[in-house]
Amino acid sequence: MTGAKRKKKSMPWSKMRMPRCEDFKQWCRRRLPILEWATHYSLKESLLPDAVSGMMLAVQQVAQGLAFAVLSSVHPVFGLYGSLFPAIIYVIFGMGRHVATGTFALTSLISANAVERLVPLSSQNLTTRSNTSVLGLSDFEMQRIGVAAAVSFLGGVIQVAMFVLQLGSATFLITEPVVSAMTTGAATHVVTSQAKYLLGMKMPHISGPLGFFYIYAYIFKNIKSVRLEALLLSLLSIVVLVLVKELNEQFKRKIKIVLPIDLVLMIATSLTCYCTNMENTYGLEVVGHIPKGIPPPRAPPMNLLSAVITEAFGVALVGYVASLALAQGSAKKFRYSVDDNQEFLAHGLSNVIASFFFCIPSAAAMGRTAGLYSTGAKTQVACLISCIFVLIVIYTIGPLLYWLPMCVLASIIVVGLKGMLIQFRDLKRYWNVDKIDWGIWVSTYIFTICFAANVGLLFGVVCTTAIVIGRFPRANTLSTKNMKEMEFKVKTEMDDETLQRVKIISINNPLVFLNAKKFHNDIMNIIQKENTGNQPLDEIRKVRSTLLIILCYSSVPLTEEATQPCLNPKCSLILDCSGLTFSDYTGVSMLIEVYMDCKNKSVDVSLVHCAASLIKAMKYCGNLDSEKPIFFESVSAAISNMHLNKNLSMISDHSEI
């Protein structure tokens, strides 16, 4: 008896095994994505487009690095460091192949609040040098970058902690309308913060609740102090940037290398300012001295962490949400997967490690990511190549940017935010798809411009969750019911009998952001199982989705062979939306994504019992197949249409033979 008890107690230990080398390799591939794609990198196919994209990206990184450093209230040279180190770290740990990490307008604006609060503007000049300080910069500038580095360090620690807690799975609470409204509102804040440079005005730092309105009140109150030279140069720069970028986008298929207008404009205005001495003649503010080289690493001031915890949370959440949206968008466009938790780790380490090299908070930017799309980048090698050019600028070209006018730099920032600002056009789409999402967008945007990006994000998530919980019928649950399975025979016009098996799984619940991702995964799992053969009834009962009917066609006559599972049957999927009481924008988008994914897998999809509002939303929101109908009034009508298509295809095949 005692021996039996000892045997039972030792059972759990017998099931445990020591980690093997293969387990360690799998862990490394999962946590170091560079090991996965670098081994399959094709020099012949990918190196040239990556090199071209890397050169163009470097121009953006340099321009935005200088501009966003000024936006973060630190010396411009620290923006160059922020364009180098975070990009290298993300290439190693990140999964977004077309995500360009570096300085970011929203995180810079958040960290500027901490910098201005803890190290307020003094009478010292930005170009004052000190022989005892790093790179000859003043102690004032080193104190300011110390605050920004502390925000970056603590923000990265928070992101790594979220990775450890596996909070990436909770990102489904952040819907597309909330992200769109938050980023648009934050972009409006950034444009407002650049107004003093665009107008050539001297203005104190204004932040806090309703600071957005106080800035414009100050501008109108001191409108006479606007410098006409700065205003005209800003308008000319914005017109040139927008015009050339639009032409590049329109003719990108005809020309292999687009014109780097940002770089051309920076060089042209710097030479003009130097030759005409605009700094002294017209009083234009210029970037000033940019030291060469990279200083030795130094730990951020840990005594400031408690003072910047609010900004650190804002940097962690806003930076991650904006970056994840870009990573998921690129993954969806180029058909690869992104792990939400791994992105927490990648961006967390990008902020933590980079903070030791005097870097401001970093994240992915929409303009740089769009630039990688348009220039045909294949992998993250493009980002590594851009880092090489940024390094060249830091050690050689940087000091030549002394005469770059600040109004031109502000113009580059404003035009670079075009992708975020034009998200106002999304309002029309949200109004046609779901008016509640339209209201959430508007309210989130208002909260963002009245308070801050992190406050707007929090409000949007809470508001969206509360509304969905209120809309959910209490009687409906996520349990599967009305499960049926049947088989029937159909006589075709070719007099061949085929076995068709119909599986029905019904659920009565809405399709919203809370269950949209699970809905997509369940349908893809069903299709995958059907393609590999018949699946047991117990496994079907575990699937949670709306009413599904899957038909597997086999051209083999009804014999013993026909009862065997077919390896590659052509499947047709019918979604019965009679239990779909309501759906939001995320749910409609997921239905369209299911349709497109099934279409790519040669799976025909039909939707039955759809409400008129759902049909209108899907037609407005997505590019559905207009050649053949996909919406039907009943299941029988959808099945009859499938039989008709089957007979027509068989007749066509017979005529070809």
Side-chain angles (χ1 to χ4, degrees):
M1 194 63 144
T2 306
K5 288 183 179 180
R6 288 179 179 174
K7 188 175 182 180
K8 287 183 179 180
K9 288 182 180 179
S10 62
M11 283 294 289
W13 294 100
S14 63
K15 294 181 181 180
M16 296 180 63
R17 58 183 176 85
M18 294 294 293
R20 296 179 299 178
C21 182
E22 187 65 28
D23 297 333
F24 179 72
K25 289 181 179 179
Q26 290 180 359
W27 183 88
C28 289
R29 291 194 192 99
R30 190 168 65 252
R31 297 304 169 213
L32 298 172
I34 189 175
L35 299 178
E36 190 68 27
W37 59 263
T39 54
H40 303 91
Y41 187 78
S42 174
L43 293 174
K44 184 178 181 180
E45 297 179 0
S46 302
L47 184 58
L48 181 59
D50 282 343
V52 174
S53 298
M55 290 166 46
M56 303 304 298
L57 177 61
V59 175
Q60 287 183 301
Q61 289 277 35
V62 171
Q64 293 182 1
L66 295 172
F68 294 155
V70 175
L71 181 62
S72 190
S73 297
V74 299
H75 194 278
V77 71
F78 299 118
L80 297 178
Y81 304 155
S83 300
L84 175 65
F85 294 104
I88 297 174
I89 298 166
Y90 182 83
V91 168
I92 299 173
F93 295 95
M95 299 187 70
R97 301 174 192 172
H98 299 80
V99 174
T101 303
T103 55
F104 186 43
L106 308 189
T107 55
S108 298
L109 192 63
I110 294 173
S111 66
N113 295 330
V115 173
E116 294 288 348
R117 188 181 75 251
L118 297 177
V119 188
L121 189 62
S122 66
S123 59
Q124 295 185 6
N125 197 324
L126 290 177
T127 58
T128 300
R129 299 187 185 183
S130 173
N131 295 328
T132 59
S133 186
V134 177
L135 296 176
L137 296 174
S138 64
D139 293 334
F140 171 76
E141 286 299 333
M142 297 312 300
Q143 290 174 7
R144 287 201 149 193
I145 188 57
V147 175
V151 174
S152 178
F153 176 81
L154 187 56
V157 170
I158 293 172
Q159 289 175 329
V160 173
M162 290 179 175
F163 160 75
V164 174
L165 297 175
Q166 298 290 294
L167 294 182
S169 57
T171 54
F172 69 91
L173 294 172
I174 306 173
T175 61
E176 183 177 335
V178 172
V179 175
S180 175
M182 183 270 294
T183 52
T184 306
T188 308
H189 269 296
V190 175
V191 172
T192 302
S193 69
Q194 296 303 298
K196 61 181 180 180
Y197 298 116
L198 295 172
L199 301 175
M201 295 178 62
K202 296 291 183 181
M203 183 188 304
H205 181 77
I206 302 174
S207 61
L210 303 180
F212 174 84
F213 303 100
Y214 292 141
I215 291 176
Y216 285 105
Y218 183 91
I219 291 175
F220 286 114
K221 186 178 180 180
N222 300 273
I223 194 69
K224 294 182 179 180
S225 62
V226 173
R227 291 188 178 275
L228 185 60
E229 297 83 4
L231 177 59
L232 292 177
L233 186 56
S234 300
L235 291 175
L236 179 62
S237 300
I238 291 175
V239 170
V240 171
L241 286 169
V242 172
L243 183 61
V244 176
K245 285 179 181 289
E246 288 295 327
L247 291 175
N248 284 338
E249 185 67 23
Q250 187 174 357
F251 297 103
K252 65 180 181 181
R253 294 184 179 180
K254 297 181 180 180
I255 54 178
K256 294 183 179 180
I257 301 179
V258 297
L259 178 65
I261 185 59
D262 294 347
L263 178 62
V264 173
L265 185 63
M266 290 168 60
I267 295 175
T269 53
S270 297
L271 290 175
T272 303
C273 186
Y274 172 75
C275 295
T276 59
N277 196 18
M278 287 185 177
E279 182 184 13
N280 298 321
T281 306
Y282 302 106
L284 283 183
E285 187 177 356
V286 296
V287 170
H289 171 67
I290 297 180
K292 289 194 299 184
I294 299 176
R298 178 190 296 180
M302 299 300 172
N303 59 323
L304 296 178
L305 297 184
S306 59
V308 300
I309 189 169
T310 303
E311 288 80 9
F313 266 103
V315 164
L317 295 178
V318 173
Y320 172 76
V321 169
S323 302
L324 181 64
L326 294 175
Q328 290 177 339
S330 65
K332 183 178 178 180
K333 184 174 183 177
F334 296 98
R335 300 191 179 282
Y336 60 90
S337 60
V338 171
D339 185 359
D340 298 349
N341 283 305
Q342 181 64 25
E343 290 299 292
F344 261 132
L345 177 64
H347 289 288
L349 293 178
S350 296
N351 279 311
V352 171
I353 298 176
S355 66
F356 288 82
F357 294 91
F358 305 96
C359 293
I360 60 178
S362 64
M366 182 181 293
R368 296 194 297 266
T369 302
L372 290 177
Y373 289 167
S374 61
T375 52
K378 300 293 184 181
T379 65
Q380 284 282 8
V381 172
C383 293
L384 291 177
I385 294 175
S386 73
C387 291
I388 296 175
F389 286 99
V390 172
L391 201 61
I392 294 174
V393 171
I394 291 174
Y395 277 95
T396 58
I397 306 175
L400 302 179
L401 298 174
Y402 178 98
W403 298 99
L404 178 63
M406 291 298 301
C407 59
V408 175
L409 209 52
S411 301
I412 293 174
I413 292 179
V414 172
V415 176
L417 295 172
K418 176 190 170 186
M420 293 184 183
L421 294 174
I422 62 175
Q423 291 179 133
F424 280 109
R425 297 185 301 187
D426 295 343
L427 283 171
K428 183 179 179 181
R429 184 169 73 237
Y430 295 137
W431 178 266
N432 286 280
V433 176
D434 186 16
K435 292 178 176 57
I436 292 180
D437 277 339
W438 181 89
I440 291 173
W441 195 102
V442 172
S443 58
T444 302
Y445 176 80
I446 292 174
F447 262 77
T448 301
I449 63 171
C450 289
F451 300 98
N454 51 349
V455 177
L457 178 64
L458 181 62
F459 169 81
V461 171
V462 173
C463 183
T464 305
T465 307
I467 289 176
V468 169
I469 292 175
R471 293 174 74 185
F472 258 111
R474 293 185 179 182
N476 292 337
T477 63
L478 292 177
S479 60
T480 306
K481 53 183 177 181
N482 298 332
M483 164 70 187
K484 297 179 181 178
E485 183 173 0
M486 54 181 151
E487 295 180 354
F488 59 91
K489 300 176 183 178
V490 176
K491 279 267 188 176
T492 67
E493 294 183 7
M494 300 301 299
D495 292 329
D496 289 330
E497 285 187 342
T498 59
L499 176 65
Q500 298 181 349
R501 187 179 49 163
V502 179
K503 299 178 181 178
I504 303 175
I505 305 171
S506 91
I507 269 191
N508 272 338
N509 52 273
L511 185 60
V512 293
F513 69 95
L514 293 173
N515 59 354
K517 191 173 182 180
K518 182 68 167 58
F519 169 80
H520 177 271
N521 293 336
D522 289 340
I523 291 184
M524 293 298 106
N525 289 337
I526 289 177
I527 294 174
Q528 184 177 1
K529 290 179 181 178
E530 284 297 323
N531 285 336
T532 55
N534 301 329
Q535 46 184 328
L537 188 63
D538 293 337
E539 294 183 8
I540 298 296
R541 286 197 178 100
K542 295 178 183 178
V543 179
R544 294 180 176 181
S545 56
T546 17
L547 181 60
L548 300 177
I549 306 173
I550 297 181
L551 297 93
C552 291
Y553 292 99
S554 173
S555 59
V556 183
L558 260 187
T559 59
E560 291 184 359
E561 294 179 358
T563 60
Q564 300 297 325
C566 50
L567 293 178
N568 292 304
K570 182 178 180 181
C571 297
S572 295
L573 178 65
I574 301 179
L575 300 180
D576 189 337
C577 303
S578 58
L580 200 60
T581 54
F582 69 89
S583 58
D584 61 3
Y585 179 82
T586 305
V588 174
S589 300
M590 193 58 68
L591 273 176
I592 296 173
E593 185 174 344
V594 166
Y595 172 80
M596 299 305 297
D597 288 347
C598 292
K599 185 178 178 181
N600 294 330
K601 295 178 182 292
S602 299
V603 177
D604 295 328
V605 179
S606 301
L607 288 85
V608 301
H609 296 145
C610 296
S613 59
L614 179 63
I615 297 176
K616 177 183 175 182
M618 291 188 66
K619 287 182 177 179
Y620 184 86
C621 196
N623 297 321
L624 302 179
D625 195 348
S626 58
E627 296 181 357
K628 54 184 179 180
I630 63 171
F631 299 102
F632 299 91
E633 295 182 354
S634 63
V635 175
S636 58
I639 295 177
S640 299
N641 181 73
M642 291 180 183
H643 294 167
L644 179 62
N645 292 336
K646 181 67 176 177
N647 290 330
L648 290 176
S649 63
M650 293 184 68
I651 292 173
S652 176
D653 293 341
H654 183 71
S655 61
E656 290 177 2
I657 293 174

